[in-house]
């Protein structure tokens, strides 16, 4: 299978090449050049354990990796989960389910992709004998999940930028208390978008990128998107057969990686009735899907910090398919949006997407209400999903983090502190980080000082 850039001006790559490349040289994101049809395979995937399903799916896309090697990589990636089902589907109510995506080592859904990406990198480097510096920006959970995926791996250094004060103290500890010498957490005086802009700028400097063998793990990486398709298929296969005809996935959304993965699974043949994009007060996507106007506004910190994003990087992948793979059209929209901070779609048709948004007050209320109604404790990101649930079909809410990652808010709303032994163990460890202004030059110098090559 070949992978092509959403902007159509880079050469097509194999899976391994596209994963190593991250952002395409023309500024676009890699997508499969043609989509397989998995609908005929679903019956034979019935009942597969998670890692086996993941292997069956990934081998279609990662077809330049020998199958035995890929099987080993995939199996190793789901060993650190604390539930043997990996992504348990729990029933909350009639036609309402919750897909628990928080059983990985950092207790958020990003582990699904980043444990796999860490093992893929290690594998590629063992073949090539090369060294890489991984560079990414995080609004909270990506950084800790990336670090967990790459922790102590040979020939990899990892630099993760995050907004200082913009992530929860536990998230910060997950990144800064690892004790691993290949991990370099960097607090930026600015927002997540500032951090992401620095990452984009450094990747855009092709000479610097080549010199330091920079690689991305943020949600633009193709392997992450593909790995995330798997739990949509797994959820669908774990629903009672009579409830699979019209499945509405409700997805707490920030960078659009998670919901786009679902969309990709749908385009590849998984029967999906709809996607609900659940946002917090940073509602650019809510506004787009309700008005057809894609317009930047300021990022404002919320109770759901991993969704405090305005410019969703995976939006470009959505756009590519939305415009029927018209790469010139993608370039036009992305350039205009970069220039004007706004694009108005004519006759915008949201298709099977809809969107909701929640203020902080509503998030707190939802945490209480969900607890009262269904007896579960949800984190503030998952809480956003419970606004205006779709009326029709089987609803599957994606629960993206363990509530124990947000003890203060849960304490405030429910009056008790959810506990997690693995998080409590972090509290006694030393924090190791650097703090910089939002200045790409400073970060570049730091990488030159601490990177490997
Ligand atoms: C990253 C994250 C999200 C947003 O996911 P995207 O793929 O960026 O849309 C939602 N909830 C949690 C807990 C996250 O860590």
């Amino acid at each position: 299978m070949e992978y092509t850039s959403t902007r159509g001006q880079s050469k097509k790559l194999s899976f391994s090449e596209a994963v190593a490349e991250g952002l395409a040289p023309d500024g676009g994101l890699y997508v499969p050049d043609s989509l397989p049809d998995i609908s005929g395979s679903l019956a034979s995937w019935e009942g597969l354990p998670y890692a086996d399903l993941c292997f069956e799916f990934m081998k279609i896309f990662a077809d330049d990796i020998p199958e035995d090697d890929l099987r080993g990589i995939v199996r190793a990636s789901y060993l650190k989960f604390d539930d043997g089902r990996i992504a348990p589907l729990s029933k909350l109510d009639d036609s309402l389910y919750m897909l628990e995506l928080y059983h990985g080592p950092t207790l958020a859904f990003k582990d699904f992709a980043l444990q796999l990406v860490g093992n893929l990198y290690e594998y590629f480097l063992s073949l090539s004998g090369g060294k890489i510096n991984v560079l990414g920006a995080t609004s909270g959970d990506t950084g800790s999940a990336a670090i967990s995926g790459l922790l102590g791996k040979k020939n990899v250094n990892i630099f993760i930028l995050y907004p200082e004060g913009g992530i929860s103290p536990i998230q910060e500890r997950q990144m800064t208390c690892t004790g691993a010498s290949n991990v370099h957490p960097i607090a930026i005086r600015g927002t997540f978008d500032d951090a992401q802009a620095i990452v984009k700028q450094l990747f855009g400097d092709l000479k610097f990128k080549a010199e330091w063998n920079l690689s991305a793990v943020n949600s633009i990486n193709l392997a992450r998107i593909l790995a995330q398709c798997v739990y949509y298929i797994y959820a669908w296969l774990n629903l009672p057969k009579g409830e699979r005809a019209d499945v509405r996935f409700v997805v707490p959304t920030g960078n659009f990686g998670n919901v786009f993965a679902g969309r990709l699974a749908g385009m590849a043949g998984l029967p999906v009735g709809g996607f609900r994009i659940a946002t917090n007060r940073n509602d650019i996507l809510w506004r787009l899907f309700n008005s057809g106007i894609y317009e930047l506004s300021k990022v404002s910190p919320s109770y759901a910090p991993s969704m405090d994003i305005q410019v969703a990087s995976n939006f470009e992948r959505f756009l590519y398919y939305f415009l029927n793979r018209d790469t010139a059209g993608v370039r036009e929209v992305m350039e205009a949006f970069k220039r004007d901070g706004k694009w108005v779609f004519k006759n915008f048709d949201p298709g099977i997407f809809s969107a909701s948004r929640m203020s902080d007050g509503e998030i707190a209320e939802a945490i209480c209400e969900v607890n009262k109604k269904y007896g579960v404790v949800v984190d503030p990101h998952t809480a956003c999903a419970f606004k205006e649930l779709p009326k029709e079909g089987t609803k599957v809410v994606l629960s993206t983090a363990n509530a124990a990652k947000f003890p203060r808010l849960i304490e405030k709303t429910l009056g008790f502190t959810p506990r997690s032994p693995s998080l409590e163990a972090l509290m006694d460890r030393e924090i190791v980080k650097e703090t910089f202004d939002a200045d790409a030059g400073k970060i570049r110098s730091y990488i030159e000082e601490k990177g490997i090559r």
Side-chain angles (χ1 to χ4, degrees):
M1 180 162 308
E2 286 194 312
Y3 294 86
T4 188
S5 166
T6 48
R7 299 199 189 177
Q9 296 185 318
S10 299
K11 92 177 181 324
K12 292 177 187 171
L13 299 180
S14 71
F15 173 79
S16 304
E17 290 166 336
V19 170
E21 191 78 15
L23 193 68
D26 61 9
L29 307 182
Y30 287 104
V31 286
D33 194 32
S34 64
L35 284 176
D37 182 2
I38 61 165
S39 57
S41 305
L42 291 170
S44 67
W45 292 350
E46 198 79 50
L48 283 184
Y50 191 90
D52 294 352
L53 176 66
C54 183
F55 167 69
E56 292 299 328
F57 182 79
M58 289 302 295
K59 81 178 185 198
I60 304 169
F61 291 90
D63 57 352
D64 60 342
I65 299 179
E67 284 194 8
D68 284 345
D69 293 356
L70 184 65
R71 190 181 283 110
I73 292 167
V74 169
R75 289 226 171 115
S77 303
Y78 296 97
L79 292 176
K80 289 191 204 154
F81 282 59
D82 68 13
D83 188 300
R85 294 165 296 176
I86 311 298
L89 184 70
S90 50
K91 182 165 179 153
L92 298 185
D93 206 343
D94 271 355
S95 77
L96 176 61
Y97 294 82
M98 189 163 82
L99 185 64
E100 300 175 13
L101 298 177
Y102 51 73
H103 292 281
T106 70
L107 311 185
F109 85 94
K110 294 188 173 74
D111 290 326
F112 277 84
L114 288 168
Q115 290 291 309
L116 183 71
V117 166
N119 288 320
L120 279 172
Y121 280 2
E122 187 174 54
Y123 173 75
F124 294 148
L125 293 173
S126 75
L127 295 180
S128 71
K131 295 182 175 152
I132 58 170
N133 292 287
V134 167
L135 173 62
T138 185
S139 56
D141 292 323
T142 311
S144 46
I147 285 169
S148 169
L150 293 168
L151 199 68
K153 296 242 188 289
K154 274 200 213 96
N155 302 318
V156 183
N157 265 16
I158 173 163
F159 298 84
I160 295 291
L161 280 54
Y162 63 94
E164 168 132 275
I167 65 174
S168 81
I170 286 176
Q171 287 173 323
E172 185 170 38
R173 280 192 171 267
Q174 286 185 311
M175 290 195 278
T176 58
C177 299
T178 64
S181 61
N182 70 332
V183 172
H184 303 282
I186 302 171
I188 294 291
R189 297 186 190 97
T191 64
F192 168 71
D193 287 346
D194 294 331
Q196 180 138 289
I198 292 174
V199 169
K200 278 210 162 188
Q201 194 176 333
L202 294 178
F203 273 104
D205 180 343
L206 299 184
K207 187 164 160 275
F208 181 72
K209 182 183 169 195
E211 206 177 323
W212 291 93
N213 225 342
L214 289 191
S215 191
V217 288
N218 48 7
S219 53
I220 60 174
N221 195 294
L222 173 73
R224 284 189 58 184
I225 298 291
L226 295 173
Q228 291 178 175
C229 294
V230 177
Y231 50 71
Y232 285 90
I233 303 167
Y234 187 76
W236 190 88
L237 289 169
N238 279 284
L239 283 168
K241 284 203 169 115
E243 295 186 61
R244 295 177 183 175
D246 180 12
V247 179
R248 312 287 175 100
F249 289 102
V250 186
V251 189
T253 296
N255 237 329
F256 213 80
N258 196 356
V259 69
F260 178 76
R263 174 63 167 157
L264 198 65
M267 287 187 297
L270 181 74
V272 179
F275 293 99
R276 167 67 54 85
I277 295 164
T279 73
N280 61 23
R281 63 208 273 181
N282 295 291
D283 59 359
I284 182 171
L285 294 168
W286 177 83
R287 287 181 279 118
L288 169 68
F289 282 93
N290 286 292
S291 70
I293 302 171
Y294 189 53
E295 184 173 19
L296 195 60
S297 66
K298 263 182 99 78
V299 179
S300 105
S302 80
Y303 282 166
S306 295
M307 291 155 46
D308 289 346
I309 290 166
Q310 286 283 335
V311 190
S313 35
N314 277 295
F315 179 71
E316 182 162 342
R317 286 190 166 105
F318 165 80
L319 187 64
Y320 172 80
Y321 290 104
F322 182 75
L323 298 177
N324 292 316
R325 310 167 55 118
D326 168 12
T327 53
V330 171
R331 292 200 299 276
E332 187 189 1
V333 176
M334 295 311 293
E335 278 159 23
F337 183 72
K338 193 172 174 192
R339 190 181 58 234
D340 308 331
K342 181 172 178 175
W343 179 266
V344 180
F345 289 90
K346 290 192 195 83
N347 309 318
F348 184 84
D349 175 6
I352 62 170
F353 288 90
S354 60
S356 66
R357 68 170 169 178
M358 261 195 193
S359 66
D360 277 357
E362 289 174 305
I363 290 174
E365 266 169 43
I367 290 171
C368 289
E369 203 174 300
V370 167
N371 183 249
K372 224 182 277 157
K373 241 167 137 174
Y374 312 120
V376 291
V377 181
V378 292
D379 87 289
H381 304 80
T382 306
C384 293
F386 287 88
K387 176 93 181 229
E388 303 153 7
L389 283 169
K391 296 206 171 49
E392 264 98 66
T394 307
K395 277 76 68 180
V396 177
V397 166
L398 273 58
S399 180
T400 50
N402 186 321
K405 293 187 90 168
F406 305 90
R408 279 187 296 201
L409 181 62
I410 303 298
E411 170 70 43
K412 202 166 99 180
T413 50
L414 297 180
F416 61 86
T417 310
R419 301 197 52 183
S420 156
S422 69
L423 294 179
E424 279 159 28
L426 291 173
M427 291 305 163
D428 306 326
R429 301 227 199 122
E430 190 197 351
I431 291 181
V432 180
K433 65 168 180 178
E434 295 288 337
T435 307
F436 290 112
D437 288 336
D439 172 353
K442 296 238 167 71
I443 307 306
R444 175 202 301 261
S445 311
Y446 185 67
I447 293 172
E448 284 166 349
E449 184 191 329
K450 299 281 184 182
I452 50 165
R453 55 178 176 166

